[in-house]
């Protein structure tokens, strides 16, 4: 059982999706790679290219969220969840899967609750923080997954997990750069306004709820991915609808640019998920997790291009620390998934121990 858990990818929920489709017992699902072997042989890094393109689309989603200042993040999240639900319904019907399987209903609802709050928190972080800073903190989810896996699933927490956690926390501190820790003159205190604090708390909350959602996905490993995604979409839409009514923000985006960007948000989310799924069918989870760290690079690029915000030295240093911890986690996952007698595993050396 412990070996199965170690093989479960932790970085993104769609890594779990790929494992589920392979182990669901439904042999009628075609292997997307069956007819693509020649392409993979010609381009051995094709899976990593797809993972990088996935990062590109997901980073553009964060740009749209930050740009649509007149649309509440709850409404944007609802549109994204609709984009998740609609393509999944035909799959769950075609495969004849039970939508509400006995014994799993509570866990499915809890996973949806955690995932929804995590996504909403990340949207609020994008809205109230510099794009790159928020992206770096939100992207540190893989590191926090190991913490909750140790607590909830009783998985071992080795020295490398501790190192990655420390690097991430130091990076987050540098990114948020709180004056009560670093001091500074009056101007620094004035620039460190309330919205920045609120955005940093939202980003950190997103990592906590997101990490719990991924751990719950491990518990739901035996279910077909369409069942999980259908439940997630349905519960998330109801949840965001409830929040919208309570907050009084339920309304349609304005015609023109706003509606176009909302459609782009759903489209880019879908493309990012599809590309990530294909990447994980071609490559192991560790290398894909490393390639996905391009999300941070894109975030810094978009921040300068679209919002004319130059990152501070502290933000860059913090991003380097978080990026290092994510790459460390990815390399370790890669090493642990390789055969014992593999040459690559011996090159990775101590990371495989």
């Amino acid at each position: 059982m412990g070996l199965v858990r170690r093989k479960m990818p932790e970085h993104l929920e769609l890594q779990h999706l790929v494992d589920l489709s392979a182990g669901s017992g439904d042999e009628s699902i075609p292997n997307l790679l069956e007819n693509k072997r020649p392409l993979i042989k010609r381009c051995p890094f094709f899976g990593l290219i797809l993972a990088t393109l996935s990062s590109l689309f997901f980073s553009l989603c964060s740009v749209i969220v930050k740009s649509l200042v007149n649309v509440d993040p709850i409404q944007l999240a609802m549109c994204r969840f609709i984009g998740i639900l609609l393509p999944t319904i035909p799959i769950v019907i075609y495969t004849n899967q039970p939508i509400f399987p006995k014994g799993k209903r509570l866990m499915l609802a809890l996973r949806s609750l955690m995932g929804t709050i995590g996504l909403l928190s990340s949207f609020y972080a994008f809205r109230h923080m510099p794009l790159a800073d928020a992206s770096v903190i939100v992207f540190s989810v893989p590191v926090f997954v190991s913490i909750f896996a140790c607590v909830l699933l009783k998985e071992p927490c080795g020295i490398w997990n501790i190192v990655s956690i420390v690097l991430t926390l130091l990076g987050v501190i540098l990114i948020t750069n709180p004056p009560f820790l670093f001091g500074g003159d009056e101007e620094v205190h004035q620039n460190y306004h309330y919205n920045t604090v609120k955005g940093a708390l939202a980003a950190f909350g997103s990592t906590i709820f997101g990490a719990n959602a991924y751990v719950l996905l491990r518990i739901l490993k035996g279910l077909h991915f369409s069942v999980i995604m259908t439940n997630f979409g349905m519960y998330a839409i109801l949840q965001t609808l409830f929040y919208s009514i309570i907050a009084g923000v339920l309304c349609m985006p304005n015609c023109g640019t706003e509606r176009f960007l909302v459609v782009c948000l759903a489209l880019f989310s879908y493309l990012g998920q599809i590309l990530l799924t294909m990447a994980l069918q071609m490559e192991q989870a560790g290398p894909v997790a490393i390639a996905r760290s391009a999300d941070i690079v894109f975030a810094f690029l978009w921040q300068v291009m679209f919002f004319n915000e130059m990152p501070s030295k502290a933000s860059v240093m913090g991003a380097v620390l978080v990026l290092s911890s994510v790459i460390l986690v990815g390399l370790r996952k890669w090493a642990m998934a390789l055969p014992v007698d593999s040459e690559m595993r011996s090159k990775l050396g101590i990371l495989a121990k």
Side-chain angles (χ1 to χ4, degrees), residues 139-210:
F139 196 78
S140 65
V141 168
V143 178
F144 289 93
V145 169
S146 61
I147 300 176
F148 292 106
C150 294
V151 175
L152 300 177
L153 301 180
K154 308 301 181 183
E155 293 189 359
C157 186
I159 182 63
W160 292 115
N161 287 334
I162 296 175
V163 170
S164 63
I165 291 168
V166 171
L167 287 176
T168 300
L169 293 177
L170 289 175
V172 170
I173 291 173
L174 285 173
I175 290 170
T176 55
N177 194 22
F180 59 84
L181 287 180
F182 292 91
D185 55 26
E186 186 68 22
E187 183 179 356
V188 172
H189 284 271
Q190 289 177 354
N191 290 335
Y192 198 80
H193 49 78
Y194 172 72
N195 280 340
T196 303
V197 177
K198 186 167 62 174
L201 292 175
F204 194 74
S206 175
T207 63
I208 300 301
F209 284 103

Side-chain angles (χ1 to χ4, degrees), residues 44-345:
F45 302 107
F46 190 61
L48 300 182
I49 294 173
L50 293 182
T52 305
L53 289 174
S54 172
S55 294
L56 172 62
F57 284 113
F58 282 130
S59 67
L60 288 173
C61 288
S62 63
V63 173
I64 293 174
V65 171
K66 189 172 181 64
S67 301
L68 290 174
V69 293
N70 294 324
V71 183
D72 193 275
I74 300 177
Q75 294 294 98
L76 294 175
M78 184 187 297
C79 294
R80 182 167 178 175
F81 293 137
I82 292 173
I84 289 174
L85 178 62
L86 292 182
T88 311
I89 291 177
I91 300 175
V92 76
I93 294 175
Y94 176 77
T95 56
N96 197 27
Q97 298 290 328
I99 298 179
F100 302 107
K102 292 183 179 180
K104 302 291 186 180
R105 296 168 185 170
L106 179 60
M107 298 306 296
L108 283 168
L110 187 59
R111 177 262 176 275
S112 300
L113 176 67
M114 293 290 179
T116 303
I117 296 177
L119 183 65
L120 284 173
S121 299
S122 68
F123 278 15
Y124 275 104
F126 293 141
R127 183 65 58 84
H128 295 294
M129 286 184 73
L131 181 64
D133 293 354
S135 298
V136 171
I137 298 176
V138 170
F139 196 78
S140 65
V141 168
V143 178
F144 289 93
V145 169
S146 61
I147 300 176
F148 292 106
C150 294
V151 175
L152 300 177
L153 301 180
K154 308 301 181 183
E155 293 189 359
C157 186
I159 182 63
W160 292 115
N161 287 334
I162 296 175
V163 170
S164 63
I165 291 168
V166 171
L167 287 176
T168 300
L169 293 177
L170 289 175
V172 170
I173 291 173
L174 285 173
I175 290 170
T176 55
N177 194 22
F180 59 84
L181 287 180
F182 292 91
D185 55 26
E186 186 68 22
E187 183 179 356
V188 172
H189 284 271
Q190 289 177 354
N191 290 335
Y192 198 80
H193 49 78
Y194 172 72
N195 280 340
T196 303
V197 177
K198 186 167 62 174
L201 292 175
F204 194 74
S206 175
T207 63
I208 300 301
F209 284 103
N212 277 285
Y214 301 147
V215 172
L216 288 169
L217 281 172
R218 294 198 193 187
I219 301 174
L220 296 169
K221 182 180 185 297
L223 295 181
H224 192 269
F225 76 90
S226 62
V227 176
I228 295 177
M229 298 302 285
T230 300
N231 277 268
F232 181 37
M234 288 191 300
Y235 283 121
I237 290 172
L238 292 175
Q239 193 175 339
T240 49
L241 178 62
F242 174 75
Y243 293 157
S244 298
I245 295 173
I246 294 298
V249 296
L250 185 61
C251 63
M252 286 289 292
N254 295 327
C255 293
T257 304
E258 285 191 0
R259 291 192 184 181
F260 172 74
L261 289 177
V262 167
V263 172
C264 288
L265 175 64
L267 178 62
F268 290 163
S269 298
Y270 182 74
L271 289 173
Q273 291 171 352
I274 291 298
L275 290 171
L276 181 58
T277 302
M278 294 175 64
L280 286 160
Q281 289 177 321
M282 298 177 187
E283 294 285 349
Q284 296 178 18
V288 171
I290 296 172
R292 280 280 292 121
S293 62
D295 197 313
I296 295 177
V297 179
F298 286 130
F300 276 95
L301 180 63
W302 304 149
Q303 177 175 307
V304 175
M305 287 180 58
F306 294 118
F307 304 104
N308 296 319
E309 295 177 352
M310 294 299 297
S312 65
K313 292 182 179 178
S315 293
V316 174
M317 291 174 60
V320 170
L321 288 176
V322 174
L323 188 60
S324 300
S325 68
V326 172
I327 291 175
L328 176 62
V329 170
L331 286 173
R332 177 162 171 75
K333 289 182 186 303
W334 187 14
M336 295 299 294
L338 292 172
V340 177
D341 57 350
S342 170
E343 182 180 352
M344 180 58 68
R345 180 163 181 158

